[in-house]
Amino acid sequence: MPKIKFTKSTLDKLSTPPGERVDYFDTETRGLGLRVGNSSKTFFVKVDIRDASSKTGYRSVRKTLGRFGEITLEQARKEIQGYDDRDKGFVPGLRLEIKRGQTKMHGAEVTLAQMLEAYFLEKKTAEGKNYKTSTVRGYTNIVTRHFETWLSLPLAEIGKLTPEVVIDRYRQAEIGHGPYGARNAFVMLSAIINYARVKYPGVVATNPLAVLRFGKHMKKIQARTERLEGKEFAIFYQGIQKFHENIRDCYLFCLYHGLRSQEAAALRWEYVNLDRLTLTIPDTKNRRPLYAPLCRQSLEILERRLAQREEGCPFVFPAVKTVRYSTNKTGHVRLMATALKLNTGLNITVHGLRRTFITTARRLKIFEDADRLTNHVDSSISGRHYDATDVEDLRRPLQTIANELERLMKEGAAKVLQLH
């Protein structure tokens, strides 16, 4: 596809051998081309438009303008670039019209539900991996629950939502699910709409949810800080005795290792090594496996569960069918903040036990090892390239933390010092 500067005399001289045809492109007018055959020369315009289904993300659209001689070079350029009309004002060029028209057609029938599905299928994490199944399921459930009546709407209708409609829906979500739940749902939906803007710019020109951010309708959510303090340790320990022993032990296991709820609840025996006294959590939030030692307290818990293990059961803490809020379709216990608050009377969540573990470690002046035990990534140069700390190095600090947690639950906040 040779490029030359189009002039009338240059185009007059162009020719091709018999049976061949060549496309020339103008260096002065973007997209203007001339197809030269044996018996004719024809002006055309070529435009690249977005197409997510293409490997390159674009596809080419061609449209014939007319034969050279029947229309002049100047007329072809005006047709592509646009021109001023005395009655109509500026008339957009054919190149812009094709770009607008094709973009509007592409994605016009896509619904919000289809966009939600595409968001997780097509987007990747920073590491180039797909989103975790649990993340997709959680996000999808939240968006579906809050915006069920919007899911069937095409993106064109979503893009036309008025500020009044958006603000009213947000207020309803605040009443039904609280400021945190409402904010969480609308932030997720906003991310999906922003992706639609990139993929179908002709359909969704702006994000209608932006009114919530610019109008400061969404309340700022403070980071949660709940954790066990002082006498609450003893109250917590007494309160969890009301649970079935599987659930009680799982709460304790969470506390002694600073694990997240799902990491403890879904723990499988295949990831516990009682000979080496180690524990593996293969699938964590940051996608880095956690390798940790066992402390005396967690070993006692595992020995109790092993003694009562049903043959073939893969879970350390299997589901308890007779207790409300504790069963899970996957076969393991489910740790619920609602049930924990009900039985203990404390404003504590399951993740608050993880904060308790970290806070206790820091009060014992255990910092870096506490981060390693809870799988917090050290992004410093030393952490990424020079830290060779292994499981055995973490055994003593873990035992120190677990001993203090046990003392706080059984003896109280005051620490007795023996004076000699």
Side-chain angles (χ1 to χ4, degrees):
M1 294 183 292
K3 291 185 178 181
I4 61 174
K5 181 178 179 179
F6 282 10
T7 63
K8 184 178 183 305
S9 59
T10 301
L11 300 185
D12 280 331
K13 297 175 183 177
L14 292 176
S15 62
T16 59
E20 294 184 12
R21 59 185 183 183
V22 180
D23 290 341
Y24 294 88
F25 284 90
D26 186 17
T27 58
E28 299 291 318
T29 305
R30 187 177 180 183
L32 176 60
L34 182 74
R35 171 161 288 183
V36 180
N38 297 139
S39 58
S40 65
K41 301 174 183 178
T42 307
F43 285 116
F44 66 89
V45 60
K46 180 182 177 182
V47 182
D48 291 332
I49 64 170
R50 289 181 181 273
D51 186 352
S53 61
S54 171
K55 291 183 179 180
T56 61
Y58 292 87
R59 63 185 175 90
S60 296
V61 175
R62 294 170 63 114
K63 187 168 183 179
T64 300
L65 302 177
R67 289 193 173 190
F68 175 56
E70 295 178 0
I71 66 169
T72 65
L73 174 59
E74 289 70 22
Q75 288 174 325
R77 282 179 169 155
K78 283 180 63 176
E79 190 74 15
I80 292 176
Q81 294 174 325
Y83 56 92
D84 287 314
D85 184 274
R86 182 175 298 178
D87 299 321
K88 299 179 182 179
F90 180 75
V91 178
L94 188 58
R95 184 175 180 276
L96 182 59
E97 286 296 311
I98 292 174
K99 214 169 184 66
R100 285 177 176 175
Q102 292 291 337
T103 305
K104 286 180 180 178
M105 291 172 58
H106 185 50
E109 303 301 321
V110 176
T111 65
L112 179 60
Q114 292 170 327
M115 196 66 232
L116 170 62
E117 183 178 358
Y119 179 82
F120 292 109
L121 287 175
E122 298 170 11
K123 288 200 70 178
K124 303 285 186 181
T125 63
E127 295 80 14
K129 300 178 182 178
N130 290 319
Y131 284 95
K132 295 170 65 174
T133 302
S134 58
T135 301
V136 175
R137 183 170 60 248
Y139 278 32
T140 301
N141 288 343
I142 290 173
V143 173
T144 302
R145 182 169 65 249
H146 283 81
F147 309 105
E148 184 178 3
T149 58
W150 289 2
L151 292 176
S152 60
L153 296 177
L155 293 178
E157 295 299 318
I158 294 294
K160 294 177 183 177
L161 292 172
T162 64
E164 291 77 16
V165 169
V166 172
I167 294 171
D168 183 62
R169 177 59 70 90
Y170 182 77
R171 295 296 179 224
Q172 293 176 26
E174 270 193 323
I175 294 172
H177 302 275
Y180 181 82
R183 183 187 181 91
N184 197 29
F186 275 81
V187 167
M188 290 179 188
L189 180 62
S190 184
I192 295 165
I193 295 176
N194 282 335
Y195 183 56
R197 288 181 61 196
V198 175
K199 188 174 181 181
Y200 306 115
V203 179
V204 185
T206 59
N207 189 336
L209 304 191
V211 66
L212 297 175
R213 180 164 58 89
F214 290 112
K216 297 184 178 180
H217 295 280
M218 292 193 292
K219 296 179 181 178
K220 187 176 181 180
I221 305 299
Q222 300 296 329
R224 292 178 176 177
T225 59
E226 78 278 355
R227 58 182 176 268
L228 297 176
E229 295 281 1
K231 296 180 180 179
E232 292 177 347
F233 280 93
I235 296 172
F236 165 79
Y237 187 70
Q238 294 167 7
I240 61 173
Q241 306 306 317
K242 301 175 186 178
F243 287 107
H244 185 280
E245 57 185 331
N246 282 10
I247 305 168
R248 176 205 64 201
D249 281 352
C250 194
Y251 279 120
L252 286 172
F253 203 84
C254 262
L255 179 61
Y256 284 133
H257 281 275
L259 296 178
R260 296 181 178 88
S261 171
Q262 189 68 8
E263 292 171 353
L267 180 63
R268 292 173 175 265
W269 284 112
E270 62 185 291
Y271 299 122
V272 176
N273 191 323
L274 294 177
D275 294 327
R276 295 185 178 180
L277 300 180
T278 58
L279 168 74
T280 302
I281 307 294
D283 189 17
T284 64
K285 184 178 180 180
N286 63 17
R287 295 180 178 271
R288 293 182 56 173
L290 169 65
Y291 304 102
L294 294 174
C295 58
R296 172 181 54 80
Q297 293 82 355
S298 60
L299 178 59
E300 292 173 358
I301 291 172
L302 291 172
E303 288 175 342
R304 284 200 299 268
R305 295 301 99 230
L306 184 61
Q308 299 184 30
R309 180 186 181 186
E310 294 183 8
E311 185 177 356
C313 179
F315 298 109
V316 174
F317 305 105
V320 184
K321 298 179 181 179
T322 59
V323 182
R324 192 180 179 190
Y325 301 124
S326 64
T327 59
N328 192 318
K329 292 179 180 179
T330 58
H332 56 73
V333 298
R334 187 180 181 190
L335 302 184
M336 299 289 291
T338 306
L340 184 60
K341 292 178 181 179
L342 180 65
N343 282 0
T344 64
L346 300 172
N347 183 29
I348 186 72
T349 62
V350 184
H351 203 77
L353 301 181
R354 180 176 170 88
R355 294 192 193 93
T356 302
F357 176 91
I358 296 172
T359 302
T360 302
R362 290 180 173 274
R363 286 173 178 166
L364 294 169
K365 306 305 179 184
I366 300 173
F367 299 100
E368 291 85 356
D369 287 337
D371 287 340
R372 296 184 184 100
L373 286 165
T374 51
N375 209 26
H376 283 152
V377 178
D378 182 359
S379 58
S380 67
I381 296 296
S382 297
R384 285 186 286 125
H385 300 291
Y386 298 99
D387 188 357
T389 305
D390 63 14
V391 172
E392 292 305 316
D393 295 319
L394 300 175
R395 195 173 298 281
R396 179 177 292 182
L398 173 63
Q399 190 61 62
T400 303
I401 299 167
N403 288 345
E404 179 65 5
L405 290 169
E406 183 181 47
R407 186 193 68 78
L408 289 166
M409 287 189 288
K410 295 183 177 180
E411 297 179 12
K415 190 169 185 177
V416 178
L417 298 178
Q418 298 294 334
L419 301 179
H420 299 283

